[in-house]
Amino acid sequence: NVYIISNVGDWILNTNGTSLTAYGETDIVLSSFRCDGTHRWSKVFGGPRYDRGLSITTDKAGGVYAAVGINTSIGGSFTGHIDADATIPSNTKSVYLIKYDTSGNYKWHKSPQADTVTAYAYNNTIPISLTTDDQNIVQMLCYLPPGIFGNSYVVSDHDYLHILKYDPSGNFSGGIKTEIKGRGAATSASLQMQA
């Protein structure tokens, strides 16, 4: 199967002739196709505006993961959506790791951000890239501001990229600070694991 994540900017969405529900000015579409190009399924993620889909990966156990930024506009009253599978209340987190299976069945979504996310952390937590290892641990490369992530990983300085780890059930299993510095370069970084 082939998986594609893309940012879209239209209120009227469709993938391969299949109509999709739009949630705002810009949304994220995760689609699956067979190798011959036949559309299998699509999911739309988004809030009212400025959502971003940044990375997808799969694991050996049939998991499909997406790292996304969903803007529910801190200080506003807008709801975010993980397709028809889950809603995100306003004034909450902005970064999510979402899991589906290869058939497009929703499994879970998690955010590394604290429950009481500040406006600064809301706007400066950026998911960049995803990969999985041989134990199906998801590794999410992120730009993180100072704060606590995943309820236990402490970031005390600015401008470094970090790797956050989640097991296949969505449990946070730690983080690693990289020596890569520079927020401006963060949007073009990529992460790949090799056994």
Side-chain angles (χ1 to χ4, degrees):
N1 298 317
V2 176
Y3 302 96
I4 299 171
I5 193 167
S6 58
N7 294 319
V8 293
D10 199 337
W11 288 94
I12 302 171
L13 298 179
N14 76 71
T15 299
N16 202 39
T18 302
S19 294
L20 305 172
T21 300
Y23 298 109
E25 293 175 26
T26 60
D27 287 321
I28 305 150
V29 176
L30 171 61
S31 295
S32 176
F33 298 87
R34 290 185 182 88
C35 291
D36 67 3
T38 304
H39 179 248
R40 297 177 65 236
W41 52 264
S42 292
K43 302 292 179 174
V44 180
F45 315 128
R49 59 184 175 271
Y50 310 127
D51 304 306
R52 57 193 185 278
L54 297 168
S55 189
I56 55 174
T57 192
T58 59
D59 65 21
K60 294 178 181 179
V64 179
Y65 302 88
V68 301
I70 297 176
N71 183 349
T72 58
S73 192
I74 199 161
S77 58
F78 302 104
T79 301
H81 299 271
I82 298 175
D83 206 70
D85 300 310
T87 57
I88 301 165
S90 64
N91 299 320
T92 60
K93 305 163 188 181
S94 59
V95 172
Y96 295 90
L97 176 63
I98 304 167
K99 182 178 182 179
Y100 283 88
D101 67 18
T102 57
S103 296
N105 298 307
Y106 171 79
K107 296 301 180 181
W108 48 257
H109 70 278
K110 303 290 180 176
S111 176
Q113 294 170 302
D115 288 338
T116 55
V117 65
T118 65
Y120 182 77
Y122 183 95
N123 292 313
N124 289 283
T125 303
I126 304 169
I128 299 164
S129 184
L130 288 177
T131 192
T132 53
D133 64 19
D134 284 345
Q135 289 75 43
N136 299 321
I137 302 297
V138 181
Q139 318 251 344
M140 183 166 57
L141 182 67
C142 297
Y143 172 83
L144 302 176
I148 298 174
F149 296 87
N151 296 322
S152 61
Y153 181 66
V154 178
V155 175
S156 57
D157 49 15
H158 291 272
D159 298 333
Y160 285 92
L161 299 183
H162 299 262
I163 298 170
L164 302 179
K165 299 179 182 184
Y166 288 84
D167 72 16
S169 297
N171 300 307
F172 180 74
S173 59
I176 300 169
K177 177 184 172 183
T178 73
E179 292 304 317
I180 302 170
K181 189 173 184 181
R183 184 173 187 263
T187 57
S188 62
S190 183
L191 178 67
Q192 181 63 45
M193 300 296 293
Q194 181 177 5

